[in-house]
Structure formats: C-alpha cells, structure tokens
Amino acid sequence: MEKLKKYGCRGLTYLVLIIAAFLSIFPCYWMFIGATNTSRDVTSGRVLPGTALAENLRNLFDTYPIGTALINSIIIAGAIVVLSLLVTSLAAYGFEKFRTKISEKVYTIYLVGMMIPTAAMMIPLYRMMGTFGLVNNRLSVIFPAISSIFLIFFFRQSFKTLPNAILESARIDGSSELHTFLYIVFPSMRATYAAAGIYAFMTSWNSYMWPMIVLQTDSQKTITLVVSKIASSSYVADYGIQMAGLAVATLPMLVVFLVLQRSFVEGMTGSVKG
C-alpha cells in the first residue's frame, strides 16, 4: 500500500511537470511552426510544419530591414555583455572584498536605484544623450546598460563564496589586485560569468522601450523594434511573415541559452548559496 502511494505521488508529480513543460514549450513550438505555414494556416490553428518557410523568409527580408536590425542587435548586445560583465564584476569585487563603512552606504544607495521604474528615467536619460550628441546612435543604448545594478548585486553574492585566504595568499606572493582578479577570481567564477552573460544578453536583446525612444532611423533600429512593426505596417496581417520575424528574433537567444544553460544553472545556484 505504501509503495502504491509512493508511485502514485511520483506519477502525479511527473504528470504535473509534463503539463507544465507542455504549456511552457508549446507557444515557442507554435511560433516556429507558424513560420513554416501561410497566414491562412496560422489563423486556422495548424500545428504541423508547412512548406511556406522559404517564402515567408524571402518576403520578410525583402520587405523589412531585418539584416540591418540583426547586425545592430548583435553589436549592441555583444558590447553590453562584454562591458557590463567587466564593469559590474569589478565593482562587485570591490564592494565585497574591500568593505568600508562608506562603501556599504554607497552600495545601499546603489541598490535603492533598483526601485526606480525604468520609465521614470527616460526623460533625463534622453536629455543626457542629446547633450552628448548620442541620440540615434547605438552608443546611447550601450552606455546606460553597462552599469547594471542587478549584475553588481548578483556578482557580489557570488564573490561571498570566494575564500579570502586565496586572495591573501596571492597578495603575499606579490600578485597585484588586477592580476589576482584576472588569473584567480575570474577562472573560479566562470559559471557566474556565464549566468550573468546570459542575463545581460537576453535583457539587451529584448530591450524595447529605451531603444524605441532613442533609435529613430531604420539603419540604427534593433531586431525587436523592426519585428514589432510588422504587425502594424499593413492593413492585412500576414501571420506567416510575423511568425518568421519572431522566429528570427528568438533564435539567437535560444541558441545562447541552450549552449550556456548548464553554466547558467550553476552560476545562479552559486549566487543563491552566497
């Protein structure tokens, strides 16, 4: 009887997990399947692959500046990932390993910034970029995203797990702080950097509000902005093209996450434990 209850609970657990996985995966599946079907097939609810993928992609790239938008998104996301990881990890390392009363107060004030809505910063941020002549420039999207408050918090939580004895040993051996950070801290925190990199990439790739305000010409717009215009650019909606555009915009994020998913989980787990 006890075994029956045990297997019954386990079977119920698996059933719930299967249903949850199906509900999570199906929208993504339907999007990619919709990219292979015509608009009529999409509206009729077809859930099997079609033969219109090549036509949808051809119409998509002929009608909209998808190629330019992809290049812009890759440049912006790549720059944000590299610069934000460098800046935020160094800042978090300083906050955690060189604590003072002043630095703790500064860190607390910095964390308060997480409570400020992004929309509330749009006007002053736009005026600032206008002052520096960066409106309608990719740099106007890159610079504000470099110093991510969340990433500083995330890295600091991970650095709590790094033993101070290792750092002291390196200092006794004559290693500089920068050398210690590059050759001791960074290699031991690769999973954390991978998790932070995925977060920074997805956040920058999906960013919509600020790029929509500051990037004003098609030659500077990102893939998110271009795809959002597909639905409103014609009187008759072509859902096949829309699905193809969404698939093209989603595929890079999917590839990055699948490649680094194991490191992402390890990095998130390490940060939580810290």
Side-chain angles (χ1 to χ4, degrees):
M1 190 67 180
E2 292 182 0
K3 289 185 177 181
L4 183 60
K5 290 182 178 180
K6 180 180 179 181
Y7 288 122
C9 292
R10 182 177 298 178
L12 181 61
T13 301
Y14 285 137
L15 178 62
V16 172
L17 291 176
I18 291 172
I19 294 174
F22 174 79
L23 293 176
S24 300
I25 296 173
F26 181 76
C28 185
Y29 167 81
W30 192 63
M31 175 188 65
F32 284 108
I33 292 300
T36 67
N37 290 310
T38 63
S39 182
R40 179 177 297 180
D41 291 333
V42 175
T43 54
S44 65
R46 181 184 173 91
V47 294
L48 297 176
T51 58
L53 177 61
E55 181 181 357
N56 289 334
L57 290 176
R58 183 172 61 252
N59 293 333
L60 176 68
F61 280 87
D62 290 343
T63 308
Y64 304 97
I66 295 295
T68 302
L70 276 173
I71 294 174
N72 290 336
S73 291
I74 291 172
I75 292 174
I76 291 174
I80 288 176
V81 169
V82 174
L83 295 176
S84 64
L85 292 188
L86 177 63
V87 171
T88 58
S89 62
L90 285 172
Y93 179 76
F95 278 125
E96 177 59 28
K97 299 304 180 182
F98 299 93
R99 292 186 181 184
T100 63
K101 291 183 178 180
I102 296 177
S103 68
E104 288 300 302
K105 291 180 179 179
V106 171
Y107 181 70
T108 302
I109 295 173
Y110 203 64
L111 289 181
V112 172
M114 294 181 69
M115 296 184 289
I116 301 176
T118 304
M121 298 185 290
M122 294 294 101
I123 294 177
L125 194 58
Y126 185 87
R127 289 177 63 88
M128 183 186 299
M129 293 303 158
T131 301
F132 292 111
L134 295 178
V135 175
N136 197 37
N137 190 305
R138 289 190 290 258
L139 294 176
S140 62
V141 180
I142 296 172
F143 285 156
I146 291 176
S147 181
S148 171
I149 302 175
F150 173 78
L151 286 183
I152 291 179
F153 170 79
F154 177 75
F155 273 115
R156 186 178 185 184
Q157 292 301 110
S158 296
F159 288 147
K160 290 179 184 294
T161 63
L162 186 66
N164 291 327
I166 297 177
L167 304 179
E168 292 296 336
S169 299
R171 291 166 186 156
I172 293 174
D173 290 339
S175 175
S176 65
E177 292 297 334
L178 182 60
H179 186 274
T180 301
F181 183 84
L182 293 177
Y183 292 96
I184 296 178
V185 177
F186 176 74
S188 62
M189 294 289 178
R190 288 181 180 177
T192 302
Y193 276 89
I198 291 177
Y199 171 83
F201 180 84
M202 290 189 172
T203 301
S204 60
W205 191 271
N206 288 326
S207 181
Y208 179 76
M209 182 182 295
W210 175 240
M212 180 184 64
I213 294 173
V214 77
L215 300 178
Q216 301 171 351
T217 60
D218 290 340
S219 62
Q220 297 293 325
K221 289 184 177 180
T222 61
I223 186 66
T224 305
L225 299 179
V226 174
V227 169
S228 68
K229 282 188 173 183
I230 296 177
S232 59
S233 61
S234 60
Y235 293 103
V236 180
D238 191 326
Y239 295 108
I241 294 180
Q242 291 182 29
M243 292 296 183
L246 292 172
V248 170
T250 305
L251 194 58
M253 288 191 301
L254 190 61
V255 171
V256 170
F257 182 78
L258 291 177
V259 171
L260 299 176
Q261 62 175 332
R262 180 173 297 180
S263 298
F264 178 77
V265 174
E266 292 176 359
M268 293 298 293
T269 304
S271 177
V272 171
K273 288 181 179 180

